[in-house]
């Protein structure tokens, strides 16, 4: 065998590596407000354009423009902003606590807060969420107590997952938030099943599920797309294209060949490609797809075009595979800054109020964390009963597990 | 009571459950209008409608994922994986998802799904239509595995599986669909008509999951087996000249070790028989548990009769299949031990 020299073999490579100057001149970014908005029951065959553009509402001067403007009330906008701020402050606190050994692992959603928070707001609370691992903003928007989220991450005595799951793999039945797996993409077609059951029962609730762009390479993604299309399932299939899957850029999921939203076309499903850092655009596209699903129009694939500002998790150093300042060069800005500036622009927010809010949320997160720690951490203090680790394998414990529990002496 | 073969019994179990519980739906490849490649769902779509008995895309992982999502949303899906040889694309959904959902969510979510799948050889199916992969799933915590050996058990156990709130894999030895099989391919085909377990109630009844059954009583030696090999073992027991007890496990996990141990501790001799490949097979687990519970009562080393550790070869099916001769050899060896 000769050394590799095949000119027809393509191994994708990102545009920039550490030490290089990041720029995104290659991105085709239409101006805000320039994309039309189809009727919710438009035939997918007439919607190809929406999979290959970028739906944007907030312009560079922080105004909401165009037909996709969801015209949210100032109260809703402020809720969106403060939920995103809470998500970021919560993430920072939890990552820091991981760094000092209070928990095994953490994953931040920095830069992607609009995806989860705006989408949660655009859905009904009865709608079932099948998230991936970077949508903690869904929980925050739906009002889950930060204390419960922390108790889970610390695997302490009040963890509702009873110390069985990694931090951030939340479960919250009461909030219609499915159990996060950790295996990528498995929830995608499960959400379709949930939605099919809802349709079978004649109920109004829909499902929404999320994967990263890297996970679109998994078979589960294609199962979800096929089954959703075949059964006209009332489901939102979201691809969070944050450019990076640990160290692999989106080219390894085929993102250089076609947009992720355009995957929908082959399945006969609308694909919407949305500026994921534009709170209003994310809200509007999600609402469009939710209204379509609820009206019997079936599934929609939504690509949320964003950038993963933090590392994949606490286990990787992004400085090893991409320029440290790449996020600063991201041409679509930061979702919190953009919504904040919009609110200031329309006279419904101010720098002073923002500072005050930051302090209040930080104090809240600190207070909640202290309380959570009082219920134990992974390494010290109270934790769930050891004997409980044999429970819930089955609804009723079989004899072999009872005997093993006795063997352990608990 | 009526005469049913195993296909009819399995069909009847689904019929009974579709009738009783609107949360029950049946789906899989070709199970709808066509009624399944082995006819196990024949007539059910016509009777219950398109939305309750329906075909799926050819994607086993998608079928199980769909079932899990429906199960989470208050339904009770009964899925068919057309051949157990095709179950592997669904492996992640079964092992990582269905089996662990209740556990990982602290008991907040679960999926009461049933996975029916034909298994085993003796039908000229070659290496892609003959496998017995039960041992791959008995190794997984959080899922129950069943393999009935006759129509009566099949119906009662399938109803139990559908009513169970945990995921269940229900292996159907396809060589037994139309009649018991003693392991001799040259013998005339038997039907279930004259078999005691071919008498099946038409309505609802259950057989508890996790309970083995002694199908032949004896004092010299215990054969522990399941599926097609129950009939092969019974035939070998008759020919052996020894007073052989035969236990049909019916459920593999949770394993009815108390039933096994009671018998083996009494007879002191044991042969384990399954069609699946030997190394790492479920027989190894049974043997190990017998060793833990009965060691001091054993009169001889335990023997295993199993498929060779090779893929199921098309042209050498009967050299692969662990027939009566191999079971007899094992009985002889253990009796002389």
């Amino acid at each position: 065998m000769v050394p590799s020299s095949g000119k027809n073999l393509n191994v994708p490579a990102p545009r920039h590596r550490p030490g290089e100057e990041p720029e995104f001149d290659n991105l085709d970014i239409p101006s805000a407000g320039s994309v039309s908005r189809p009727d919710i029951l438009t035939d997918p065959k007439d919607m190809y354009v929406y999979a290959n553009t970028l739906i944007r509402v907030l312009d560079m001067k922080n105004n909401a423009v165009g037909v996709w403007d969801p015209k949210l009330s100032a109260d809703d906008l402020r809720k969106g902003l403060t939920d995103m701020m809470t998500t970021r402050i919560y993430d920072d606190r939890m990552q820091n606590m991981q760094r000092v050994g209070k928990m095994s692992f953490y994953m931040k959603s920095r830069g992607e807060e609009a995806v989860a928070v705006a989408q949660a707001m655009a859905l009904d609370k009865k709608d079932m969420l099948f998230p991936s691992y970077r949508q903690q903003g869904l929980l925050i928007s739906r009002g889950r107590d930060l204390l419960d989220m922390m108790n889970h991450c610390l695997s302490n005595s009040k963890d509702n997952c009873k110390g069985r799951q990694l931090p951030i793999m939340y479960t919250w039945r009461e909030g219609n938030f499915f159990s996060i797996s950790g295996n990528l993409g498995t929830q995608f077609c499960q959400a379709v099943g949930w939605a099919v059951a809802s349709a079978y029962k004649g109920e109004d609730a829909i499902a929404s599920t999320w994967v990263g762009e890297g996970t679109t390479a998994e078979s589960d993604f294609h199962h979800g797309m096929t089954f959703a299309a075949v059964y006209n399932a009332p489901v939102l299939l979201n691809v969070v294209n944050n450019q990076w899957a640990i160290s692999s850029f989106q080219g390894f999921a085929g993102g250089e060949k076609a947009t992720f939203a355009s995957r929908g076309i082959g399945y006969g499903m609308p694909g919407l490609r949305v500026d994921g850092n534009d709170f209003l655009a994310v809200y509007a596209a999600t609402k469009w797809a939710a209204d379509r699903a609820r009206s019997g129009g079936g599934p929609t694939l939504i690509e949320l075009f964003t950038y993963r500002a933090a590392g994949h998790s606490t286990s990787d150093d992004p400085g090893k595979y991409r320029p440290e300042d790449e996020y600063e060069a991201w041409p679509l800005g930061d979702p919190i800054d953009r919504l904040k500036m919009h609110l200031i622009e329309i006279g419904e927010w101010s720098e002073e109020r923002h500072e005050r809010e930051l302090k209040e949320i930080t104090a809240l997160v600190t207070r909640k964390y202290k309380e959570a720690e009082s219920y134990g951490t992974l390494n010290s203090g109270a934790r769930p009963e050891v004997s409980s680790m044999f429970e819930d394998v089955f609804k009723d414990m079989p004899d072999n597990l009872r005997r093993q529990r006795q063997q352990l002496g608990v | 009571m009526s005469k049913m073969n195993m296909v009819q019994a399995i069909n009847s179990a689904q019929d009974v459950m579709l009738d009783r519980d609107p949360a029950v739906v049946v789906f899989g490849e070709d199970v709808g209008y066509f009624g399944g490649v082995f006819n196990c769902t024949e007539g059910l779509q016509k009777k219950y409608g398109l939305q309750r008995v329906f075909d799926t895309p050819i994607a086993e992982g998608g079928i199980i994922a769909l079932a899990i999502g429906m199960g989470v949303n208050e339904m009770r899906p009964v899925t068919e994986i057309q051949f157990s040889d095709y179950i592997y694309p669904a492996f992640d959904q079964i092992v990582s998802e269905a089996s662990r959902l209740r556990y990982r969510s602290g008991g907040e979510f679960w999926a009461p799904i049933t996975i029916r799948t034909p298994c085993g050889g003796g039908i000229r199916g070659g290496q892609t239509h003959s496998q017995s992969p039960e041992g791959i799933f008995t190794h997984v915590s959080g899922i129950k595995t069943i393999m009935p050996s006759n129509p009566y058990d099949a119906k009662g156990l399938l109803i139990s599986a559908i009513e169970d709130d945990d995921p269940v894999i229900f292996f159907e030895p396809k060589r037994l669909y139309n009649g018991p099989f003693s392991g001799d391919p040259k013998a005339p085909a038997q039907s279930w008509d004259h078999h005691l377990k071919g008498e099946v109630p038409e309505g609802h009844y259950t057989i508890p999951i996790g309970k083995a059954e002694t199908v032949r009583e004896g004092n010299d030696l215990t054969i522990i087996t399941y599926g097609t090999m129950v009939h092969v073992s019974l035939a070998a027991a008759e020919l052996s000249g020894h007073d052989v007890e035969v236990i049909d496990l019916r459920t593999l996990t949770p394993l009815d070790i108390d039933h096994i141990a009671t018998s083996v501790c009494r007879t002191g001799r044991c042969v384990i028989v399954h069609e699946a490949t030997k190394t790492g097979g479920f027989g190894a687990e049974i043997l190990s548990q017998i060793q833990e519970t009965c060691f001091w009562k054993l009169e001889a080393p335990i023997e295993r009769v199993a498929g060779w550790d090779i893929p199921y070869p098309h042209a050498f099916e009967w050299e692969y299949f662990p027939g009566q001769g191999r079971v007899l050899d094992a009985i002889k060896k253990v009796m002389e031990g």
Side-chain angles (χ1 to χ4, degrees):
Chain A
M1 174 95 67
V2 295
S4 67
S5 60
K7 65 183 183 340
N8 292 332
L9 173 66
N10 176 51
V11 178
R15 286 167 64 83
H16 333 104
R17 286 297 192 188
E20 293 170 357
E21 178 85 14
E23 47 79 19
F24 291 97
D25 297 347
N26 62 317
L27 295 182
D28 184 12
I29 299 172
S31 56
S34 65
V35 177
S36 65
R37 183 179 183 279
D39 180 83
I40 55 165
L41 293 177
T42 303
D43 191 317
K45 286 196 290 293
D46 300 324
M47 287 195 57
Y48 294 172
V49 62
Y50 302 99
N52 288 295
T53 183
L54 203 60
I55 296 166
R56 304 178 64 221
V57 172
L58 285 171
D59 70 11
M60 292 308 179
K61 291 178 182 163
N62 308 310
N63 292 304
V65 295
V67 288
W68 284 95
D69 177 7
K71 304 211 184 298
L72 292 174
S73 70
D75 280 346
D76 280 348
L77 292 173
R78 280 189 291 263
K79 172 173 165 53
L81 178 66
T82 53
D83 284 345
M84 289 199 290
M85 293 164 73
T86 303
T87 305
R88 187 167 293 185
I89 292 165
Y90 170 82
D91 273 352
D92 287 342
R93 174 77 188 194
M94 298 304 275
Q95 172 124 333
N96 289 342
M97 292 304 100
Q98 190 278 339
R99 293 295 188 214
V100 297
K102 302 289 187 181
M103 64 191 98
S104 59
F105 178 78
Y106 197 72
M107 301 178 101
K108 295 181 17 163
S109 60
R110 187 182 183 83
E112 299 173 37
E113 292 91 343
V115 170
V117 172
Q119 294 202 277
M121 279 182 74
L123 293 163
D124 281 356
K125 288 207 168 181
K126 65 177 178 292
D127 295 338
M128 188 72 189
L129 312 177
F130 287 78
S132 172
Y133 46 70
R134 215 181 297 278
Q135 286 87 45
Q136 43 269 54
L138 295 170
L139 293 166
I140 287 167
S141 177
R142 283 200 170 175
R144 192 176 189 198
D145 193 335
L146 295 178
L147 178 64
D148 292 333
M149 295 171 66
M150 292 166 167
N151 285 335
H152 162 65
C153 289
L154 292 167
S155 293
N156 68 20
S157 57
K158 290 188 182 287
D159 170 15
N160 69 315
C161 292
K162 306 178 185 174
R164 297 167 188 165
Q165 271 281 48
L166 276 179
I168 70 94
M169 307 285 180
Y170 303 101
T171 288
W172 189 35
R173 186 181 181 96
E174 191 191 338
N176 291 326
F177 182 101
F178 189 62
S179 154
I180 297 173
S181 169
N183 281 21
L184 293 189
T186 49
Q187 73 279 8
F188 215 59
C189 196
Q190 292 168 0
V192 175
W194 196 96
V196 164
S198 184
Y200 173 93
K201 294 189 279 181
E203 292 176 352
D204 194 35
I206 63 173
S208 185
T209 184
W210 289 260
V211 291
E213 89 286 348
T215 299
T216 63
E218 292 276 14
S219 58
D220 297 275
F221 172 76
H222 302 278
H223 296 159
M225 296 294 287
T226 305
F227 282 69
V230 166
Y231 300 120
N232 199 45
V235 63
L236 274 56
L237 302 163
N238 301 290
V239 175
V240 184
N241 178 4
N242 67 8
Q243 314 303 317
W244 291 94
I246 305 187
S247 73
S248 302
F249 86 114
Q250 43 83 21
F252 282 98
E256 292 179 308
K257 307 291 184 186
T259 70
F260 293 99
S262 69
R263 274 34 171 183
I265 292 171
Y267 293 93
M269 187 189 300
L272 302 178
R273 192 162 177 267
V274 185
D275 176 353
N277 291 10
D278 178 338
F279 184 92
L280 297 178
V282 173
Y283 181 97
T286 307
K287 188 74 171 53
W288 184 95
D291 289 347
R292 179 182 175 92
R294 243 183 277 282
S295 307
T300 299
L301 177 66
I302 304 177
E303 175 183 352
L304 300 133
F305 193 66
T306 182
Y307 185 92
R308 194 195 75 207
H312 165 71
S313 74
T314 46
S315 302
D316 68 308
D317 171 8
K320 284 189 172 174
Y321 50 79
R322 67 184 190 189
E324 295 274 15
D325 57 349
E326 198 177 60
Y327 183 52
E328 308 300 324
W330 185 246
L332 295 167
D334 178 273
I336 295 179
D337 289 349
R338 286 174 71 188
L339 186 58
K340 169 191 163 192
M341 296 314 290
H342 173 61
L343 270 164
I344 291 174
E345 183 67 30
I346 60 174
E348 295 288 350
W349 198 248
S350 66
E351 290 290 354
E352 299 72 40
R353 193 164 171 188
H354 195 82
E355 284 306 310
R356 200 164 66 237
E357 194 70 34
L358 276 178
K359 282 197 184 108
E360 282 175 15
I361 297 169
T362 306
L364 174 77
V365 168
T366 304
R367 194 172 73 243
K368 292 282 186 186
Y369 184 79
K370 279 187 179 146
E371 184 180 351
E373 245 195 28
S374 76
Y375 304 126
T377 73
L378 185 62
N379 300 318
S380 63
R383 57 177 186 157
E385 291 294 326
V386 179
S387 62
S388 74
M389 78 184 200
F390 291 94
E391 294 166 4
D392 301 322
V393 180
F394 296 99
K395 184 180 180 189
D396 302 310
M397 192 181 294
D399 287 344
N400 62 318
L401 293 187
R402 204 175 303 284
R403 286 167 184 162
Q404 288 179 12
R405 189 179 66 184
Q406 286 162 359
Q407 199 181 346
L408 182 64
V410 291
Chain B
M1 297 291 256
S2 47
K3 300 275 185 201
M4 289 191 203
N5 65 26
M6 211 150 150
V7 169
Q8 291 161 332
I10 287 162
N11 188 301
S12 175
Q14 295 174 93
D15 190 356
V16 164
M17 290 311 295
L18 281 161
D19 186 55
R20 281 169 73 99
D21 185 354
V24 171
V25 284
V26 170
F27 54 88
E29 296 157 15
D30 303 305
V31 309
Y33 188 86
F34 181 57
V37 297
F38 291 105
N39 305 325
C40 289
T41 56
E42 190 174 0
L44 296 178
Q45 186 181 73
K46 190 172 182 192
K47 189 168 177 184
Y48 295 99
L50 274 174
Q51 294 199 348
R52 297 198 65 199
V53 181
F54 56 89
D55 293 327
T56 61
I58 306 171
E60 292 76 14
I63 291 168
I64 302 304
L66 194 83
I68 293 169
M70 294 178 87
V72 168
N73 199 352
E74 303 176 322
M75 300 197 60
R76 210 165 268 282
V78 182
T79 64
E80 177 179 302
I81 299 296
Q82 196 163 83
F83 286 84
S84 62
D85 312 67
Y86 303 168
I87 206 166
Y88 308 112
F91 200 60
D92 194 32
Q93 287 290 342
I94 297 170
V95 174
S96 311
E97 300 294 317
S99 304
R100 299 213 296 260
L101 180 56
R102 186 190 293 278
Y103 191 75
R104 79 174 193 227
S105 68
E108 291 191 12
F109 292 104
W110 62 91
I113 68 173
T114 301
I115 304 169
R116 292 183 38 246
T117 187
C119 68
I123 59 139
R124 299 184 171 182
Q127 49 94 26
T128 52
H129 301 79
S130 305
Q131 294 171 64
S132 297
E134 70 274 7
I136 297 172
F137 295 96
T138 54
H139 192 62
V140 175
S141 54
I143 192 155
K144 299 174 182 176
T145 46
I146 292 173
M147 193 188 295
S149 70
N150 59 69
Y152 179 80
D153 285 356
K155 179 171 174 180
L157 281 163
L158 183 53
I159 290 174
S160 288
I162 297 169
E163 291 180 341
D164 199 283
D165 285 335
D166 291 307
V168 179
I169 305 191
F170 189 86
F171 289 100
E172 301 171 2
K174 54 177 124 38
R175 177 70 211 210
L176 301 182
Y177 273 152
N178 295 314
F181 177 61
S182 66
D184 179 1
K186 294 196 178 74
Q190 304 288 308
S191 86
W192 286 108
D193 285 353
H194 308 293
H195 195 284
L196 196 62
K197 294 289 186 85
E199 290 283 340
V200 181
E202 282 165 20
H204 177 277
Y205 69 95
T206 58
I207 289 178
I209 294 172
K211 294 292 175 198
E213 186 185 28
T214 300
V215 292
R216 187 184 198 275
E217 289 181 356
N219 293 308
D220 292 349
L221 176 148
T222 306
I223 293 181
I224 296 153
T225 185
Y226 52 91
T228 306
M229 291 301 133
V230 170
H231 304 279
V232 178
S233 299
L234 284 168
E238 286 299 324
L239 295 172
S240 70
H242 295 288
D243 189 17
V244 175
E245 181 142 309
V246 179
I247 293 175
D248 178 357
L249 287 180
R250 308 194 291 189
T251 298
L252 308 188
T253 52
L255 179 66
D256 193 356
I257 186 61
D258 294 344
H259 190 106
I260 295 170
T262 302
S263 172
V264 176
C265 288
R266 180 167 53 76
T267 62
R269 297 176 199 268
C270 179
V271 172
I272 297 162
V273 186
H274 61 55
E275 188 179 343
T277 50
K278 185 175 185 182
T279 301
F282 192 59
E285 176 60 32
I286 299 167
L287 192 152
S288 184
Q289 291 202 30
I290 292 170
Q291 189 273 136
E292 287 166 13
T293 47
C294 306
F295 182 80
W296 300 107
K297 303 283 175 107
L298 289 177
E299 306 283 346
I302 299 167
E303 275 291 308
R304 276 187 289 163
V305 179
W308 308 120
D309 287 341
I310 60 174
Y312 220 114
H314 187 223
F316 308 107
E317 190 160 38
W318 302 112
E319 286 82 0
Y320 174 92
F321 188 90
Q324 291 174 25
R326 288 182 56 205
V327 179
L328 279 168
D329 288 347
I331 293 171
K332 188 163 179 255
K333 192 169 170 190
V334 173
M335 289 311 297
E336 288 169 358

